[in-house]
Amino acid sequence: MKKWWRGIPGACAMLVGGGAWAQVNDMPGGPKVNQLNLHEGVTQIAHDVMWLHWMMLAICVVIFIGVFGVMFYSIWAHRKSRGAVSATFHEHVGVEVAWTVIPFIIVIAMALPATKAVVAMKDTSSPDVTIKATGYQWKWGYEYLDGAANGVKFYSNLSTPRAQIENREPKGEFYLMEVDNPMVVPVDQKVRIITTAVDVIHSWMIPDFGVKQDAIPGFLRDTWFRAEKVGTYRGQCAELCGKDHAFMPIVVTVLSKEDYAKWADEQKKKMAAQADDPNKDWTEPELIARGEKVYGANCVVCHQATGKGVPGSFPALDGDHIVLGPKAEQIKTVLLGHPGTAMPAFGGQLNDVEIASVITYTRHAWDNKGKGQDPTVKPADVKGAR
Amino acid sequence: MSSVTVDHVSPGHGHDDHHHAMPTGWRRWLFATNHKDIGTMYLIFSFVMLLEGGTLALLLRTELFEPGLQFFRPELFNQFTTMHGLVMVFGAIMPAFVGFANWMIPLQVGASDMAFARMNNFSFWLLPVAALILTASFFAPGGATAAGWTLYAPLSLQMGPGMDMAIFAMHIMGASSIMGAINVIVTILNMRAPGMTLMKMPLFCWTWLITAFLLIAVMPVLAAAITMVLTDRHFGTGFFNAAAGGDPVLYQHVFWFFGHPEVYIMILPAFGIVSAVVPAFARKRLFGYASMVYATAAIAVLSFIVWAHHMFTTGMPVTGQLYFMYATMLISIPTGVKVFNWVATMWRGSMTFETPMLFAIGFIFVFTIGGFTGLILSVAPIDIQVQDTYYVVAHFHYVLVAGSLFGLFAGAYYWVPKWTGYMYSEKLGKLHFWFSLLSFNLTFFPMHFLGLAGMPRRYADYAAQFTTFHQIATIGAFWFGLSQLIFLYAILRCFAGKGERASAKPWEGAEGLEWTVPSPAPFHTFVEPPEVK
């Protein structure tokens, strides 16, 4: 009889082999392969935290070895099988006071350097650059509040293709930790990050900066860093924020002062060029084409490329009565969101042209085919509804 | 049969007379008022929930074996993480300790039963109802709640009806816990045998007494937090909505005012069990009994004033961060005293290493690792780096699995001869211990590295650089999960009457009133209170 279990090692080898995609390397600015400790860091805070962690770890390891050295010696020496007879002592005031007081002193010694680091971390005063980071389900928005890039604002979306996540393509070098528009900051300048959110709590984290700050809807919080090295640094959202929590990374590019000024200049020109002319008369095909892009950037993760949504979680737009009904209701939903659901208010994120075009797109896409009422929505309609 | 001599029978004999007829069939369980029967039901219930929560954990680990989405959509993955936490905390660990309290506290203080027998019945039977509602929420439109076991608003405001079912279930479980706690307090304070002064009580009773006060203090706080979520969801209140004048961080303050004492609710009774097991197998009195009691009380008091160390990244003022950092660091002192006392108890004892002792030593060893990572986490700047990463996941599994769960296993092997009248198989027990210890560390130790490297928790997918440690963790998790079936088998064998018969006091060094009654403990014990000298 053939031994059925002989195939198991082979099957395991195949399983592991099948999982091994192209050689994985350390990610610059992100995690190293099998990294064991904190990131080395490019800010004073990150270095301080690294030092604190080593200090704490060293003290803990010494105590651990001391206590368990005693315990394992006792386990070896004071066992009945070696003929040990139990002693009768069961308390000793001196010893008990000593092992209460000595740990207390150790704890104070630990707290002193930690206090210094806490105070340094919380000192967000006199920054050189201030940037507002806004958490959305599921992307980040950045707005520069002063300095060379004053007024620049953009969204930062995950740029890893869906096909990689769904295992239809091999994973790239920066899998899940890459974005279309990274935040850009100058080197050696104090950057203050003001965090907030529009829907649920997110958390803005860059391990190499030693920074993690929750972004809380309706409130402003702040943190700061001064990056000492030019480069790109990567982090991820650190507060559970719904289904795509794992898919809204944070990428910061640190440039030299000259490059930063150049970048700021380019951004301002680009923004001026991109601004939609509100007086332009948009035709239906133009709106649909524009709307498809807006849909892809803002709507597709929930309502899906097929417009079918996710049953039970996110409603279908294909054949939906609001999408096929009078335009006013749909404009209202997109502008103000749907309270109590994951549908956010897009009024603050998208301009009139974008909202009009995405609504027009949904009214023509899939089986909707423009067969409902009001197939075309003009920017003026949105403006009127605001 | 109705003889006048019935009044003179000593405890443990002749209880089958008509005054104390033992109910049979389903009535015995549904209408149970006997503390031993109710204790057994609690223990069975909690083990079933342990299996449910464990299955959910294995589903998570399956998805996390490789980067990319293989098996579950992220929204379902989040439901699994959330339900794993809720089921383990409220379904497995807490009821398991109540089961131990029911079985052992009356036996240890020399009482005939728990103080309020019918309330005891009610507090148990609420649990299966709550568990059914919680589990059924998977089938609600939109599935179970996916907001994490902490149910942070405003994310929890976005969930479907599964969230309301979870809130309802948690209210019921909270009511059950409060009733259980009242029962424990009244039993311990009023029904101790003559001569059993408070400072003569076994430490398990002390730790449970303190735990019961914690429960009564904080379960209503949890109820308040989730009720505010409920009214925000359905009645337009704006407790957690900034636009309506509320504050999302308020939820976290209220939740963690419950949540931190909750951590000690889940560990203090385990301290009590270990404090019974270690002296028994070291054949030497517990070292520093009084300081153990004071340390337990100190931990309980401190647990109320450290809650915001769970919230360092929310952006507290600098003074707030410093205060919560200092207060949290203080907890390590009474906890350290406990560890030192256990080691001093072993010192110059005459030790043997049966399964309960192995689990107790395993508890001390691995729980202390969790204690040290807790101390490291108390340092706010380090905490901010590793908050919401796998480092925190590793930390709390070291204290909750290697702590609470190993403590429960130590207690189960220690007292199962008393419960069933049969000895467990030492071979199976040791196999269970070594498999659990090794697989536990294989699962959770690599998570420290993942967390330090910045791997956030509650992620369905991750960067490829984290793959190896995730794969080790997944392999360890399956080994750990399957090892628990050994425990099930070993205990079922005892209940089935297989194995050696247990004497009244099967452990040479064990002390306490529970060993003065026969094994298995008769249906009624200490009808006449024993005299304690």
Side-chain angles (χ1 to χ4, degrees):
Chain A
M1 197 175 81
K2 207 171 164 219
K3 295 261 166 46
W4 61 272
W5 43 266
R6 279 198 184 145
I8 291 178
C12 289
M14 269 172 64
L15 202 69
V16 173
W21 43 90
Q23 183 67 40
V24 179
N25 297 311
D26 294 351
M27 188 191 292
K32 294 193 173 64
V33 177
N34 303 337
Q35 183 177 332
L36 297 177
N37 200 353
L38 294 165
H39 288 244
E40 271 145 37
V42 293
T43 64
Q44 189 56 46
I45 296 286
H47 299 322
D48 289 351
V49 172
M50 179 72 116
W51 184 88
L52 277 173
H53 180 250
W54 273 118
M55 176 202 73
M56 295 293 295
L57 194 62
I59 296 174
C60 290
V61 167
V62 168
I63 300 173
F64 189 83
I65 291 173
V67 172
F68 288 99
V70 172
M71 189 181 89
F72 283 112
Y73 171 77
S74 176
I75 285 174
W76 173 74
H78 306 143
R79 51 171 67 214
K80 199 183 177 195
S81 56
R82 284 173 56 92
V85 180
S86 51
T88 51
F89 67 87
H90 58 88
E91 55 193 358
H92 187 287
V93 176
V95 172
E96 288 174 62
V97 169
W99 69 39
T100 312
V101 172
I102 295 171
F104 187 69
I105 295 168
I106 296 176
V107 162
I108 290 176
M110 289 168 163
L112 290 176
T115 303
K116 238 175 91 186
V118 170
V119 172
M121 280 178 120
K122 294 298 291 184
D123 178 19
T124 54
S125 60
S126 35
D128 301 306
V129 181
T130 308
I131 304 169
K132 185 168 103 174
T134 308
Y136 298 87
Q137 285 174 317
W138 292 273
K139 64 183 170 222
W140 290 92
Y142 298 120
E143 183 175 358
Y144 288 67
L145 301 182
D146 56 15
N150 191 3
V152 169
K153 55 179 178 178
F154 53 86
Y155 295 103
S156 185
N157 289 285
L158 176 73
S159 60
T160 301
R162 207 71 210 168
Q164 288 187 17
I165 296 168
E166 285 162 5
N167 306 311
R168 286 179 278 114
E169 275 176 19
K171 314 238 178 302
E173 189 185 359
F174 298 108
Y175 180 66
L176 292 192
M177 299 185 83
E178 52 196 341
V179 296
D180 51 1
N181 304 306
M183 174 191 275
V184 176
V185 299
V187 73
D188 284 327
Q189 298 258 295
K190 184 167 184 176
V191 180
R192 177 177 177 227
I193 304 289
I194 298 178
T195 63
T196 187
V198 294
D199 31 50
V200 299
I201 302 174
H202 303 268
S203 192
W204 197 87
M205 131 163 114
I206 297 278
D208 262 317
F209 296 167
V211 162
K212 183 181 290 147
Q213 176 58 56
D214 288 0
I216 300 162
F219 288 83
L220 300 177
R221 293 287 199 272
D222 65 351
T223 183
W224 71 277
F225 61 87
R226 188 196 301 271
E228 292 161 352
K229 257 196 227 156
V230 169
T232 300
Y233 303 98
R234 297 158 201 280
Q236 290 170 295
C237 178
E239 181 62 64
L240 178 61
C241 59
K243 82 180 181 79
D244 280 355
H245 173 44
F247 306 105
M248 50 179 291
I250 297 135
V251 179
V252 178
T253 302
V254 179
L255 296 179
S256 68
K257 269 178 215 164
E258 301 76 56
D259 287 345
Y260 175 72
K262 225 183 285 169
W263 173 85
D265 202 42
E266 275 167 26
Q267 291 303 306
K268 283 185 168 170
K269 283 189 190 135
K270 212 162 111 191
M271 274 182 60
Q274 265 185 356
D276 292 307
D277 179 1
N279 299 320
K280 179 180 168 186
D281 190 22
W282 291 74
T283 64
E284 190 177 276
E286 279 173 337
L287 284 170
I288 294 173
R290 183 75 205 280
E292 190 169 2
K293 284 189 194 135
V294 178
Y295 187 84
N298 295 283
C299 319
V300 77
V301 286
C302 296
H303 295 296
Q304 308 295 319
T306 57
K308 302 274 187 217
V310 176
S313 302
F314 306 108
L317 299 181
D318 190 11
D320 182 69
H321 67 279
I322 294 176
V323 177
L324 294 175
K327 61 191 171 189
E329 187 61 25
Q330 195 182 359
I331 294 173
K332 196 178 131 208
T333 306
V334 177
L335 274 178
L336 305 177
H338 193 108
T341 69
M343 176 73 187
F346 281 99
Q349 297 183 43
L350 303 177
N351 65 29
D352 295 344
V353 175
E354 287 167 325
I355 290 177
S357 63
V358 78
I359 293 175
T360 306
Y361 168 71
T362 57
R363 286 170 176 255
H364 284 84
W366 319 298
D367 281 340
N368 291 349
K369 291 180 182 152
K371 69 189 176 196
Q373 300 176 50
D374 306 328
T376 305
V377 174
K378 297 278 184 187
D381 299 328
V382 179
K383 198 175 178 186
R386 275 188 194 262
Chain B
M1 281 295 285
S2 55
S3 151
V4 284
T5 58
V6 103
D7 289 336
H8 302 290
V9 263
S10 58
H13 297 286
H15 285 298
D16 294 337
D17 63 276
H18 58 273
H19 292 299
H20 294 293
M22 195 170 112
T24 50
W26 60 272
R27 285 164 195 276
R28 173 177 172 188
W29 303 104
L30 187 63
F31 302 139
T33 50
N34 180 289
H35 71 102
K36 301 182 185 84
D37 282 354
I38 294 174
T40 305
M41 289 196 292
Y42 263 110
L43 292 172
I44 293 170
F45 170 79
S46 63
F47 194 77
V48 171
M49 295 306 277
L50 182 79
L51 295 183
E52 180 184 338
T55 306
L56 290 168
L58 293 185
L59 293 175
L60 298 173
R61 289 310 326 168
T62 306
E63 173 60 52
L64 291 172
F65 189 71
E66 284 183 353
L69 298 176
Q70 284 81 27
F71 299 98
F72 308 114
R73 287 173 285 121
E75 48 270 47
L76 187 60
F77 181 91
N78 289 349
Q79 294 175 27
F80 290 160
T81 25
T82 306
M83 292 293 283
H84 165 68
L86 291 174
V87 166
M88 285 301 198
V89 168
F90 295 101
I93 301 291
M94 290 170 70
F97 281 121
V98 183
F100 273 82
N102 260 295
W103 249 106
M104 300 320 300
I105 287 176
L107 285 178
Q108 289 193 327
V109 300
S112 57
D113 205 306
M114 295 294 275
F116 305 115
R118 289 212 161 70
M119 187 167 82
N120 205 5
N121 172 296
F122 188 44
S123 73
F124 170 75
W125 280 110
L126 284 177
L127 285 178
V129 177
L132 277 177
I133 294 171
L134 191 63
T135 308
S137 72
F138 271 119
F139 305 101
T145 169
W149 88 276
T150 50
L151 306 173
Y152 274 12
L155 185 61
S156 49
L157 306 180
Q158 285 184 351
M159 298 292 145
M163 180 75 207
D164 302 311
M165 294 170 77
I167 291 174
F168 188 42
M170 286 166 74
H171 271 134
I172 296 174
M173 291 190 278
S176 159
S177 286
I178 292 172
M179 283 190 263
I182 292 172
N183 232 332
V184 166
I185 292 174
V186 176
T187 306
I188 290 180
L189 292 186
N190 292 300
M191 296 176 65
R192 295 193 312 282
M196 172 72 80
T197 60
L198 281 175
M199 289 307 273
K200 273 190 194 163
M201 280 197 312
L203 255 170
F204 179 69
C205 299
W206 257 115
T207 53
W208 239 113
L209 180 65
I210 292 167
T211 301
F213 277 104
L214 288 181
L215 276 169
I216 290 180
V218 300
M219 293 314 289
V221 179
L222 172 70
I226 56 181
T227 304
M228 286 192 277
V229 170
L230 191 73
T231 59
D232 267 17
R233 286 167 55 79
H234 297 295
F235 307 116
T237 55
F239 293 110
F240 309 126
N241 177 359
D247 182 351
V249 180
L250 170 68
Y251 177 84
Q252 298 182 25
H253 280 292
V254 180
F255 180 85
W256 286 114
F257 191 83
F258 147 79
H260 202 75
E262 168 72 11
V263 172
Y264 296 104
I265 287 167
M266 291 190 282
I267 196 69
L268 293 183
F271 289 166
I273 292 173
V274 170
S275 301
V277 171
V278 170
F281 294 91
R283 292 167 182 77
K284 183 161 158 281
R285 261 177 80 180
L286 181 69
F287 187 87
Y289 173 91
S291 69
M292 284 298 221
V293 173
Y294 301 143
T296 310
I299 292 173
V301 170
L302 284 172
S303 76
F304 284 104
I305 56 169
V306 296
W307 75 91
H309 68 219
H310 297 270
M311 302 162 53
F312 281 141
T313 61
T314 56
M316 270 178 277
V318 65
T319 43
Q321 283 202 353
L322 290 175
Y323 162 72
F324 282 108
M325 177 171 85
Y326 300 149
T328 305
M329 293 175 102
L330 288 181
I331 292 186
S332 62
I333 296 165
T335 313
V337 166
K338 286 186 161 290
V339 173
F340 299 143
N341 279 337
W342 289 321
V343 173
T345 306
M346 288 190 230
W347 186 255
R348 293 185 52 208
S350 171
M351 277 185 274
T352 51
F353 301 93
E354 289 87 347
T355 309
M357 184 62 162
L358 288 177
F359 268 106
I361 293 173
F363 167 96
I364 298 170
F365 185 67
V366 191
F367 169 79
T368 304
I369 298 178
F372 277 130
T373 54
L375 181 61
I376 292 174
L377 281 168
S378 73
V379 175
I382 303 177
D383 178 85
I384 287 172
Q385 270 286 43
V386 293
Q387 162 83 34
D388 266 309
T389 68
Y390 268 68
Y391 193 87
V392 175
V393 177
H395 160 69
F396 68 71
H397 283 93
Y398 264 79
V399 291
L400 267 177
V401 180
S404 309
L405 191 62
F406 279 19
L408 286 162
F409 286 146
Y413 285 112
Y414 183 56
W415 283 310
V416 80
K418 184 59 56 189
W419 299 339
T420 63
Y422 289 90
M423 299 302 287
Y424 60 87
S425 150
E426 200 58 65
K427 215 189 251 171
L428 285 174
K430 287 195 166 132
L431 188 71
H432 175 224
F433 168 73
W434 286 109
F435 272 18
S436 295
L437 184 77
L438 294 175
S439 59
F440 167 79
N441 283 291
L442 192 66
T443 310
F444 293 105
F445 203 77
M447 291 189 187
H448 293 113
F449 303 137
L450 286 173
L452 288 168
M455 164 82 211
R457 67 193 275 218
R458 295 165 167 171
Y459 265 33
D461 194 3
Y462 53 85
Q465 285 77 7
F466 298 123
T467 309
T468 309
F469 289 138
H470 271 299
Q471 295 192 332
I472 294 172
T474 298
I475 291 166
F478 274 90
W479 185 12
F480 185 82
L482 294 175
S483 300
Q484 304 322 309
L485 299 179
I486 303 173
F487 173 74
L488 178 65
Y489 177 62
I491 297 296
L492 283 182
R493 270 178 51 117
C494 295
F495 274 98
K498 294 218 174 87
E500 224 179 295
R501 279 232 166 234
S503 62
K505 186 180 151 195
W507 311 118
E508 191 191 355
E511 278 184 36
L513 290 175
E514 72 260 40
W515 307 111
T516 62
V517 301
S519 297
F523 197 62
H524 294 291
T525 39
F526 299 129
V527 176
E528 292 184 29
E531 192 77 36
V532 181
K533 287 178 204 82

